[in-house]
Amino acid sequence: MLAWGLAAGFAALYACVAVNRHRRGLTKAYDLGIFEQAVRAYAHGQAPIVPLKGPGYHLLGDHFHPLIAVLAPVYRAFPSPLTLVIAQALLMASAVVPLTRWAHEVAGPRVALLVGCATGASWGIVRAAADDFHEIAFALPLLAFAATALGRRRPLAAALWSLPLLLVKEDLGLTVAAVGALIAWQARRERHRSPLPGLALAAVGLAATALTVLVVLPAFNPSGGFDYWRQLDGGGQPSLWVLPLQLGWPPVKWLLLFLLAATAGFAGVRSPLLLLCVPTLAWRLLSSNSHYWGVSYHYSAVLMPIALAALVDVLRRLDASRARRALVVSALVTAVTLPLYPLHEVVMPEAWRTSPRLTETRALLRRIPDDATVAASNRLAAQLTGRAEVTLVCQAPVGPGPQWVAVDLRDPSVQSPCATADTARMLAVYRERGYLPLVEQDGLLLLHRP
């Protein structure tokens, strides 16, 4: 009951924050709009064509995440972006369950309560739960159950929980391979089991990643390749001696590693379970994309269940004093980081107010009819994808162009994924084509094609 109660509580908190952020217009085309267009297509039995990524863009050419199609029946019944963010809240919160149960077995109810709270309020999960929708929501419970099964020496359960990760995202095949390697390692240590099943799982994980990255993704990608190679090599081929420098520089990468180790109470670094973090950390730290290096965005969510599982794993081997210190460190990290991430918005009165600006934005959006074609800026697009065919305003129009153009020039996210200059250029094009301004005030702009 404790585990499910904590999971239900955190699911409610995540959902409150995510739904309220959408109500306030803080969600974005990248990524909530993109995933809604994909799930909307799945819900109608169509391929995941996502106009926000480009004309005719098949989303399986960007990342390999067919598992999001399981949301299609729910979305068909409740066609709204809120369906995605609430589903994400439920999925992420469910990671609390296996870790809390295992902690209860290892150290009793008080430690279980602490571990459950540390998981649900961990900085990586809280950040992701409030950051639109991402496919990695499916990975969190799978990783939590797989890591717990490894810690309990249940190799078959660990393998079965890890295999669906192959359908969540292409890089998680490497994590499946790490699960297989740990199963084989445990078998060799215990001697009475064969390491071959673990080695076979590792081979499956490696083969799945190679297949998706080298064959499947290029087959669906408009350019015929994997778009993220350039982020791993910086556009070139780095020398082998440069790779260690890339792993440790700039220093923000050390902040990521420090917070991860601290989440595991530092003692958790002694657990072999923490090796499950290595594949994710490797591609993030070797990437030239600075967004991957730090502790913002949603990229660290998949590391949290592993770090807390590592903490529980070492508690069994520590004396009472060391175990207490490890738990205190993990709890302090949670307490210190919690105000820095959006979960605290639940108790902020200003986060629940409707500002005059929000009222103006809603009035603008109401003028756009359902099933219209719209070119929109980043945040406005996310408000429209459930009822209209939406593209980004910076994309060159196809054919006669959209019926409507909706832009919030004061949107701080308007520079990404659309550069400000590109937005200005396309607005000039639409004006030259005779689009009429119906709203033009305080940076809000609504154009209509007569």
Side-chain angles (χ1 to χ4, degrees):
M1 291 298 294
L2 174 62
W4 285 107
L6 287 174
F10 280 111
L13 289 174
Y14 300 160
C16 279
V17 172
V19 169
N20 190 45
R21 288 175 74 84
H22 184 70
R23 180 193 71 85
R24 293 160 60 199
L26 299 180
T27 50
K28 304 174 289 294
Y30 276 49
D31 292 294
L32 179 58
I34 286 174
F35 280 106
E36 184 179 10
Q37 287 186 336
V39 174
R40 188 182 186 189
Y42 283 132
H44 291 85
Q46 301 168 357
I49 303 301
V50 175
L52 283 168
K53 290 285 289 184
Y57 193 101
H58 197 299
L59 198 59
L60 291 182
D62 183 47
H63 288 298
F64 187 71
H65 39 49
L67 196 58
I68 66 172
V70 303
L71 297 176
V74 183
Y75 185 87
R76 188 66 183 262
F78 305 99
S80 165
L82 300 183
T83 299
L84 272 64
V85 298
I86 291 173
Q88 175 170 265
L90 294 171
L91 286 165
M92 290 187 168
S94 63
V96 171
V97 174
L99 292 166
T100 303
R101 285 178 168 176
W102 188 28
H104 193 286
E105 292 176 9
V106 169
R110 287 189 296 179
V111 171
L113 177 62
L114 190 151
V115 169
C117 291
T119 303
S122 59
W123 50 277
I125 293 179
V126 167
R127 184 65 180 88
D131 188 18
D132 289 8
F133 173 89
H134 296 92
E135 70 283 286
I136 52 93
F138 288 93
L140 266 66
L142 295 171
L143 286 167
F145 278 103
T148 300
L150 279 171
R152 288 170 163 169
R153 300 300 191 268
R154 296 177 180 175
L156 179 59
L160 293 176
W161 280 113
S162 69
L163 280 172
L165 292 170
L166 301 177
L167 303 178
V168 175
K169 200 177 176 189
E170 63 278 358
D171 66 287
L172 288 172
L174 301 178
T175 303
V176 173
V179 172
L182 281 179
I183 290 174
W185 176 78
Q186 289 177 351
R188 286 186 62 87
R189 289 195 65 188
E190 295 170 7
R191 299 185 183 276
H192 64 275
R193 288 193 289 114
S194 170
L196 289 180
L199 295 176
L201 180 64
V204 167
L206 293 173
T209 293
L211 180 65
T212 54
V213 170
L214 300 177
V215 179
V216 178
L217 289 167
F220 289 108
N221 189 282
S223 64
F226 180 49
D227 286 341
Y228 298 90
W229 282 129
R230 70 193 73 174
Q231 294 187 6
L232 291 177
D233 62 13
Q237 295 294 330
S239 304
L240 289 178
W241 66 270
V242 174
L243 290 179
L245 296 178
Q246 285 185 244
L247 286 170
W249 193 263
V252 67
K253 296 179 179 180
W254 288 101
L255 174 61
L256 169 63
L257 297 175
F258 173 83
L259 274 181
L260 181 62
T263 300
F266 292 120
V269 299
R270 298 167 55 184
S271 169
L273 295 182
L274 205 63
L275 294 174
L276 297 179
C277 294
V278 170
T280 297
L281 289 173
W283 69 257
R284 287 180 62 183
L285 299 182
L286 288 173
S287 172
S288 60
N289 186 339
S290 60
H291 292 158
Y292 296 157
W293 303 338
V295 295
S296 298
Y297 305 104
H298 60 284
Y299 303 111
S300 296
V302 296
L303 304 176
M304 299 296 102
I306 301 171
L308 273 301
L311 172 60
V312 176
D313 186 40
V314 298
L315 289 179
R316 299 178 299 178
R317 302 189 292 273
L318 296 177
D319 59 48
S321 177
R322 291 180 180 178
R324 193 178 303 111
R325 284 200 297 269
L327 291 168
V328 167
V329 168
S330 184
L332 283 175
V333 170
T334 303
V336 169
T337 57
L338 194 58
L340 305 177
Y341 291 92
L343 200 61
H344 70 276
E345 292 178 3
V346 172
V347 295
M348 291 176 58
E350 58 269 27
W352 296 91
R353 298 191 183 111
T354 300
S355 67
R357 175 73 173 185
L358 182 55
T359 301
E360 294 171 1
T361 302
R362 289 176 177 172
L364 179 150
L365 294 173
R366 281 196 297 269
R367 302 188 67 165
I368 301 173
D370 292 351
D371 300 319
T373 56
V374 188
S377 55
N378 198 18
R379 286 183 174 174
L380 295 185
Q383 301 292 316
L384 293 165
T385 47
R387 62 182 184 88
E389 183 177 333
V390 187
T391 58
L392 286 173
V393 67
C394 57
Q395 296 173 357
V398 177
Q403 298 164 316
W404 300 83
V405 178
V407 177
D408 181 358
L409 295 173
R410 286 168 53 183
D411 173 4
S413 72
V414 76
Q415 299 180 20
S416 177
C418 288
T420 303
D422 291 336
T423 299
R425 174 177 54 81
M426 288 309 305
L427 288 176
V429 168
Y430 287 124
R431 290 181 186 274
E432 291 172 2
R433 291 190 177 189
Y435 281 67
L436 301 178
L438 301 185
V439 175
E440 194 168 5
Q441 61 180 13
D442 298 329
L444 288 173
L445 178 63
L446 180 64
L447 304 178
H448 181 234
R449 187 184 72 210

